[in-house]
Amino acid sequence: MRHIEECFARLTEIRNFAEHAAEVELALWFHDAIYEEYSSQNEIKSAELAVKKVLAAGGTKDAATRISNLIMATRHAVLPHNKDEQILIDVDLSILGAEPERFKEYERQIREEYSWVPYFLFRKRRRKILKDFLARPTIFNTPVFIQRYEKQARQNIERSMTRLDS
């Protein structure tokens, strides 16, 4: 729940830039609705649930499809395709630009979440994820988040990689 609370706090900073703000908000609510620790299908299942609920509540098929696409964008497999995806992804990744102590706590939470993974494998995979973020021209997509959080995110990631190396 803390992740969702922090995301909604960050959404208030850029919600007005969204093309379909209510859909971004719904996608944020649903993006981790299904979370099975050992599954790689969480986003797919969450998107399916969101579509079902949106349609059941009288939402349009177009809106349900956009919400589903937004949720799928949180897999971070590709760069966002439109402004709403950029906003949702930036909000979802905003923890990377948190104050150092909060980021360090987040890193401990990530390790705890994946405590079932042997440390040498966790370290290897985590380093790759973090290295991939640093390799991007910018971690964030929106000018607002680039200005506010990019520098801190890069510093946090670099410190995390140093800790993983020791």
Side-chain angles (χ1 to χ4, degrees):
M1 281 306 298
R2 185 168 183 188
H3 172 61
I4 294 294
E5 290 170 358
E6 289 173 336
C7 284
F8 274 105
R10 295 293 164 254
L11 180 61
T12 62
E13 297 176 32
I14 57 174
R15 188 180 197 281
N16 293 338
F17 297 107
E19 292 174 15
H20 302 97
E23 293 171 13
V24 172
E25 188 171 331
L26 277 171
L28 186 55
W29 275 112
F30 277 98
H31 85 284
D32 283 334
I34 306 294
Y35 192 84
E36 298 167 351
E37 199 169 283
Y38 304 100
S39 176
S40 62
Q41 303 297 307
N42 292 327
E43 290 87 358
I44 292 168
K45 290 179 180 179
S46 293
E48 289 170 350
L49 176 64
V51 166
K52 181 179 171 184
K53 297 293 185 181
V54 166
L55 293 175
T60 67
K61 187 169 182 144
D62 286 345
T65 298
R66 285 191 298 268
I67 292 165
S68 175
N69 290 340
L70 286 166
I71 293 167
M72 293 305 295
T74 65
R75 296 182 94 175
H76 307 291
V78 296
L79 293 176
H81 295 100
N82 60 50
K83 188 181 286 191
D84 288 348
E85 286 183 10
Q86 290 175 345
I87 289 168
L88 182 63
I89 297 308
D90 279 5
V91 166
D92 191 35
L93 294 178
S94 64
I95 187 65
L96 299 177
E99 291 300 317
E101 281 306 308
R102 172 61 186 119
F103 182 78
K104 197 171 178 182
E105 177 186 20
Y106 160 76
E107 287 284 283
R108 285 191 301 269
Q109 292 167 334
I110 292 290
R111 179 58 187 139
E112 186 177 307
E113 183 177 342
Y114 291 96
S115 62
W116 53 274
V117 176
Y119 185 69
F120 76 95
L121 290 176
F122 172 83
R123 184 173 68 198
K124 180 180 179 181
R125 180 68 177 130
R126 188 72 183 151
R127 276 189 61 45
K128 181 182 179 341
I129 290 167
L130 296 175
K131 188 176 179 181
D132 288 349
F133 279 123
L134 287 178
R136 293 179 179 184
T138 59
I139 294 168
F140 297 104
N141 302 285
T142 61
V144 172
F145 272 47
I146 291 168
Q147 180 184 15
R148 290 182 187 166
Y149 302 112
E150 184 77 22
K151 182 178 178 184
Q152 185 66 58
R154 289 186 177 278
Q155 290 172 353
N156 287 339
I157 290 170
E158 288 169 3
R159 275 192 300 276
S160 181
M161 289 179 68
T162 299
R163 283 191 295 271
L164 289 168
D165 285 341
S166 56

